[in-house]
Amino acid sequence: MLKVYSSEDRFMVQQIKDLLESKGIHCFIKNEFAIGGAGDLSPFDCWPEVWVTDNDWKSKAQSLIKDIETQWQQGTEWCCDNCGETNGGGFELCWQCGAQAPVTLPSDK
Ligand SMILES: [Zn+2]
């Protein structure tokens, strides 16, 4: 098992996990519910983390994460066809209703 992503933003961690799973990469989130019950751990220690179950997926997972992070930085917003909600660039699913984005990510390389 291998950690491929970590962020203080739990929502981004969830998006990464959903992206990897949609590409057939088995992964899971660690520390998902750690924030708030952390005790004397530093906040950094309890950031949610995305782990892949097989180290062979490391390079593919990291390239997918790089792609989606680039999209987040570019911040191309899209409007949900289903509910009309505006979503940030890089999100494959509408955060409001969960509908698929009308654009596809530049992955599957
Ligand atoms: Zn929607």
Side-chain angles (χ1 to χ4, degrees):
M1 294 191 297
L2 191 77
K3 183 175 77 172
V4 292
Y5 186 76
S6 177
S7 169
E8 62 184 332
D9 188 333
R10 198 176 313 184
F11 184 70
M12 288 168 67
V13 170
Q14 182 67 48
Q15 289 286 319
I16 295 284
K17 175 177 174 285
D18 290 346
L19 171 69
L20 296 184
E21 286 194 329
S22 76
K23 304 300 177 190
I25 297 172
H26 294 274
C27 56
F28 61 95
I29 297 177
K30 279 181 77 169
N31 295 341
E32 188 173 8
F33 304 109
I35 293 172
D40 51 17
L41 292 171
S42 79
F44 186 79
D45 284 336
C46 44
W47 279 8
E49 301 168 341
V50 180
W51 288 65
V52 295
T53 56
D54 190 324
N55 292 10
D56 290 346
W57 281 314
K58 177 186 175 184
S59 57
K60 187 178 181 190
Q62 287 179 335
S63 100
L64 288 167
I65 289 168
K66 196 160 172 280
D67 284 347
I68 200 171
E69 283 186 327
T70 301
Q71 288 217 345
W72 281 338
Q73 283 158 12
Q74 288 167 348
T76 308
E77 295 186 336
W78 55 275
C79 190
C80 177
D81 288 338
N82 189 47
C83 72
E85 186 63 47
T86 301
N87 293 277
F91 295 118
E92 275 193 302
L93 300 175
C94 173
W95 68 269
Q96 178 80 343
C97 70
Q100 193 80 30
V103 292
T104 52
L105 291 171
S107 50
D108 293 321
K109 285 173 198 148

